[in-house]
Amino acid sequence: MQRRVNGGTPMIRVTVWNEFKHEREYEGIRAIYPDGIHMCIAKFLGTQPDLEIRTATFDEPEHGLTQTVLDNTDVLVFWSHALQDEFSDEVAERVQQAVLSGMGLVALHSAHFSKIMKRLMGTSMTLKWKHSQTEKLWCIGPTHPIAQGVPSMIELPEEEMYGEYFDIPKPDDVVFAGWFSGGQVFRSGCTFTRGLGKIFYFQPGHEEYPIYHNPDIQRIITNAVRFCAPAVSARQTLECEAL
């Protein structure tokens, strides 16, 4: 039975997924995220009384995203980078179907190029990139629920530059836009609807920089989890129906 907040509203069941590769291989990255990016995100999400958190990583059986796990996940927070090609086609299909049936998805940073996002977006998801630039993350949708409590601009001293053209379908909303010190701009925070599921793609989060320790970034991700949570926890299968 799903837990409830003070016996009332059902808690949002969140699975935080991460490859957990870079943190084990590179000392500098391990110093920033000693327990992994997934545990950093799980820790700050876990302070919220309405969120129930679990984690999963690439090396677990079925990447930790079994059908049972997905059936009991309202929102999947997903970070990937180096193992995009090695990610199971079967699991990617499973996650895609879960989103179409109502599960929310928060795709972080280089997860734009994951098999899951390519399947859901139907485009190449390509962009321009370059290491180590300053980013000014501008809130251009201040009335959006994901922007609540977020300042008009967040300055990130170091971040990986992502630049246009970003090959994505037209978003439902562009909530944040990034400006980088090299002059590039980027649609850094975009929402989409696929089937019954809501998706938020959020660009900041390169593993070499302490982005997920930033309180404003934490607030955005927390807001995104609540925004992407399904209004009804029961999954529905979309199919052509004879009437």
Side-chain angles (χ1 to χ4, degrees):
M1 182 179 295
Q2 189 170 354
R3 294 172 58 197
R4 295 178 178 268
V5 183
N6 296 324
T9 306
M11 296 185 71
I12 301 170
R13 301 167 299 180
V14 183
T15 299
V16 181
W17 192 92
N18 173 33
E19 288 178 349
F20 198 30
K21 173 178 171 65
H22 298 301
E23 305 93 315
R24 293 183 293 174
E25 293 184 347
Y26 299 101
E27 183 177 348
I29 298 172
R30 185 164 57 250
I32 299 170
Y33 299 110
D35 300 315
I37 287 173
H38 57 299
M39 294 305 296
C40 176
I41 295 172
K43 183 176 180 180
F44 70 74
L45 289 178
T47 65
Q48 303 301 308
D50 59 330
L51 305 183
E52 181 179 319
I53 313 299
R54 71 188 302 164
T55 63
T57 59
F58 182 92
D59 287 340
E60 296 177 37
E62 300 179 61
H63 305 323
L65 298 175
T66 64
Q67 190 62 57
T68 298
V69 168
L70 294 178
D71 287 344
N72 290 279
T73 297
D74 297 312
V75 180
L76 174 64
V77 179
F78 191 85
W79 192 101
S80 63
H81 183 205
L83 300 173
Q84 314 277 36
D85 292 339
E86 289 83 354
F87 194 91
S88 162
D89 290 337
E90 180 181 354
V91 176
E93 169 72 17
R94 185 184 301 156
V95 174
Q96 178 191 20
Q97 292 304 315
V99 173
L100 295 177
S101 299
M103 184 185 75
L105 174 65
V106 178
L108 299 175
H109 192 56
S110 43
H112 73 91
F113 210 58
S114 65
K115 290 180 179 179
I116 293 168
M117 284 293 282
K118 286 181 179 180
R119 284 171 177 267
L120 287 164
M121 298 295 107
T123 58
S124 73
M125 303 302 289
T126 53
L127 44 72
K128 295 180 175 65
W129 63 272
K130 186 177 182 180
H131 285 305
S132 191
Q133 293 192 2
T134 297
E135 178 179 5
K136 291 184 177 180
L137 184 71
W138 291 94
C139 178
I140 61 173
T143 63
H144 197 280
I146 295 177
Q148 298 311 296
V150 177
S152 60
M153 190 274 288
I154 302 168
E155 184 158 356
L156 303 173
E158 281 192 294
E159 176 56 303
E160 183 176 38
M161 183 279 289
Y162 278 7
E164 299 289 346
Y165 176 63
F166 185 23
D167 185 22
I168 55 174
K170 185 177 180 179
D172 295 342
D173 294 291
V174 180
V175 187
F176 300 99
W179 176 90
F180 294 86
S181 53
Q184 294 86 357
V185 295
F186 191 71
R187 288 167 287 173
S188 294
C190 302
T191 66
F192 306 88
T193 304
R194 290 294 182 270
L196 300 174
K198 290 186 287 186
I199 300 167
F200 179 59
Y201 169 72
F202 191 45
Q203 162 264 315
H206 185 63
E207 66 275 4
E208 295 181 77
Y209 312 120
I211 304 301
Y212 298 124
H213 293 291
N214 184 303
D216 292 321
I217 299 298
Q218 293 178 358
R219 180 180 291 274
I220 291 169
I221 294 172
T222 303
N223 289 349
V225 166
R226 294 190 176 112
F227 173 77
C228 292
V232 179
S233 59
R235 298 285 168 78
Q236 301 178 48
T237 301
L238 295 178
E239 56 186 355
C240 294
E241 296 182 57
L243 299 178

